[in-house]
């Protein structure tokens, strides 16, 4: 039930290829990781975004919807879904008989106080292709080790299993040297390794949240897991910049701090910061963002202290 792939990207590629035909569509999260659209559209499959904040977007399901992609914990949001929320998604999937591609590359990568749940654990009637890999939790993106785990308690996926096997032999994807290490990595990684990685990322999240919350016109959203933080910015307080793209471009020019504009995730007026750098660099980066903002901030006339 496990197919090894060249990183999680390749796992996603196989899942989308096996479930959808040209002319079909898949539902993908917005904001979300850009590769879902890139992969789907290169195969002639339409990628329809569902909004992570508003549930009305479910209306985009039709009889050519081949899969719903769910990314939990999320890049770029750092959100971690509750079991109830996953159940609610599974309920829709069951009702419309649409399988789930669960991008669970950040499985268990959640801060203390939050709990990760595998999508496949919430509803046995919904078949799930769970994509994962060594890239994030084990911090080895270059090793290109990914996998698909097939969860199919009710036997809906007989054809899909055959298809996945066939696709996985189209090219020889996984790096065999690193593949040989997977059993030891999964079995013998000391728990302190996971704990210390999470601690480092969570401390960076707290540090940057505190620093950036104090900057007028910025609104960081505290993540619950994964490696990122989204920061909203109030354009009306930064009239030099028409949008977050202009803001991040000038930020890298003036302060050499590179943040990803949220249009990469199909929404506007946020930028994403990555929390995986050493804390002294994180501190310096946030201080430089604050300096940059101080140079460009214009309080809105009637908005009190100008905070959003
Ligand atoms: C949500 C998500 N899925 C998949 C990937 C790709 O992982 P890999 O490097 O294993 O292909 C990433 C990497 O950024 C990611 O954030």
């Amino acid at each position: 039930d496990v197919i090894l792939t060249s990183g999680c990207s390749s796992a996603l590629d196989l899942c989308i290829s096996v479930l959808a035909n040209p002319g079909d569509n898949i539902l993908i999260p917005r904001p979300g990781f850009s590769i879902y659209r890139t992969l789907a559209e290169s195969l002639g499959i339409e990628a329809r975004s569902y909004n992570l904040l508003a549930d009305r977007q479910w209306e985009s399901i039709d009889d050519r919807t081949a899969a719903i992609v769910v990314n939990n914990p999320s890049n770029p949001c750092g959100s971690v879904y509750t079991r109830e929320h996953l159940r609610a998604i599974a309920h829709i999937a069951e009702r419309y008989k649409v399988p789930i591609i669960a991008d669970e590359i950040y499985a268990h990568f959640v801060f203390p106080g939050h709990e990760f749940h595998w999508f496949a654990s919430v509803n046995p009637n919904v078949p799930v292709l769970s994509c994962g890999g060594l890239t994030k939790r084990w911090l080895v993106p270059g090793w290109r080790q990914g996998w698909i785990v097939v969860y199919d308690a009710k036997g809906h996926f007989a054809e899909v299993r055959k298809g996945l096997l066939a696709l996985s032999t189209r090219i020889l994807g996984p790096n065999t040297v690193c593949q040989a290490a997977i059993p030891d990595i999964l079995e013998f990684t000391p728990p302190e390794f996971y704990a210390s990685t999470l601690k480092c990322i969570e401390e960076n999240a707290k540090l940057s949240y505190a620093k950036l919350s104090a900057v007028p016109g910025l609104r960081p959203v505290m993540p619950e897991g994964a490696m990122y933080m989204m920061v909203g910015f109030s354009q009306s307080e930064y009239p030099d910049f028409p949008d977050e793209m202009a803001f991040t471009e000038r930020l890298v020019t003036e302060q050499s701090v590179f943040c990803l504009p949220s249009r990469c995730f199909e929404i506007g007026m946020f930028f994403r910061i990555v929390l995986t750098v050493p804390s002294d660099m994180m501190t310096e980066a946030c201080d430089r963002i604050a300096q940059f903002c101080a140079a460009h901030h214009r309080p809105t006339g009637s908005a009190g202290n100008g905070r959003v």
Side-chain angles (χ1 to χ4, degrees):
D1 290 332
V2 177
I3 309 259
L4 292 173
T5 57
S6 171
C8 184
S9 315
S10 157
L12 291 162
D13 188 19
L14 265 50
C15 290
I16 294 172
S17 309
V18 82
L19 290 177
N21 290 318
D24 287 348
N25 61 77
I26 60 167
L27 306 192
I28 63 168
R30 174 176 50 213
F33 188 45
S34 53
I35 205 172
Y36 311 130
R37 179 176 296 284
T38 309
L39 290 172
E41 290 182 351
S42 73
L43 294 164
I45 295 158
E46 186 192 346
R48 296 184 183 171
S49 298
Y50 63 88
N51 196 323
L52 289 180
L53 299 176
D55 46 16
R56 288 184 58 82
Q57 293 290 332
W58 291 117
E59 289 169 5
S60 50
I61 293 188
D62 64 18
D63 60 1
R64 297 230 43 189
T65 302
I68 303 174
V69 177
V70 176
N71 172 215
N72 176 52
S74 156
N75 174 12
C77 303
S79 47
V80 179
Y81 289 156
T82 59
R83 182 174 273 282
E84 289 64 43
H85 189 57
L86 291 174
R87 261 204 202 114
I89 302 172
H91 181 71
I92 305 267
E94 185 177 3
R95 197 164 99 213
Y96 288 92
K97 299 194 167 32
V98 178
I100 298 286
I101 298 174
D103 183 345
E104 296 178 323
I105 184 89
Y106 298 98
H108 297 297
F109 210 104
V110 303
F111 302 151
H114 301 278
E115 205 178 336
F116 169 75
H117 304 282
W118 297 102
F119 198 102
S121 71
V122 302
N123 183 336
N125 298 324
V126 178
V128 176
L129 298 180
S130 169
C131 299
L134 292 185
T135 299
K136 307 294 177 181
R137 202 168 175 222
W138 290 271
L139 308 173
V140 285
W143 291 15
R144 309 309 304 139
Q145 290 300 299
W147 51 74
I148 302 164
V149 182
V150 182
Y151 292 97
D152 180 32
K154 298 291 160 81
H156 300 298
F157 264 173
E159 287 298 308
V160 169
R161 280 169 195 269
K162 274 195 225 154
L164 279 175
L165 272 180
L167 284 170
S168 70
T169 55
R170 223 172 103 236
I171 55 163
L172 302 179
N175 168 338
T176 48
V177 175
C178 300
Q179 181 179 327
I182 291 182
D184 277 13
I185 291 172
L186 295 183
E187 210 172 334
F188 301 121
T189 301
E192 307 83 64
F193 172 81
Y194 304 120
S196 76
T197 310
L198 274 172
K199 186 161 173 279
C200 165
I201 305 254
E202 191 188 20
E203 278 171 5
N204 275 347
K206 286 182 178 158
L207 181 159
S208 27
Y209 183 84
K211 282 189 175 284
L212 299 181
S213 303
V215 176
L218 294 192
R219 192 186 48 180
V221 185
M222 184 64 188
E224 300 164 335
M227 304 173 159
Y228 316 96
M229 185 157 76
M230 289 286 260
V231 183
F233 97 109
S234 160
Q235 194 272 333
S236 58
E237 295 180 56
Y238 292 94
D240 295 351
F241 311 115
D243 53 28
E244 90 286 351
M245 184 76 180
F247 179 91
T248 50
E249 268 175 0
R250 190 81 77 81
L251 176 62
V252 75
T253 308
E254 290 185 14
Q255 296 285 352
S256 299
V257 175
F258 178 67
C259 302
L260 215 50
S262 61
R263 73 173 55 181
C264 300
F265 308 105
E266 303 192 359
I267 58 159
M269 298 310 166
F270 285 85
F271 56 89
R272 188 198 72 171
I273 63 174
V274 179
L275 303 168
T276 51
V277 295
S279 72
D280 55 333
M281 287 175 75
M282 195 82 238
T283 306
E284 181 172 347
C286 290
D287 290 344
R288 289 189 190 196
I289 293 174
Q291 265 174 38
F292 174 80
C293 288
H296 295 281
H297 184 252
R298 308 276 179 279
T300 48
S302 55
N305 66 3
R307 300 278 165 79
V308 287

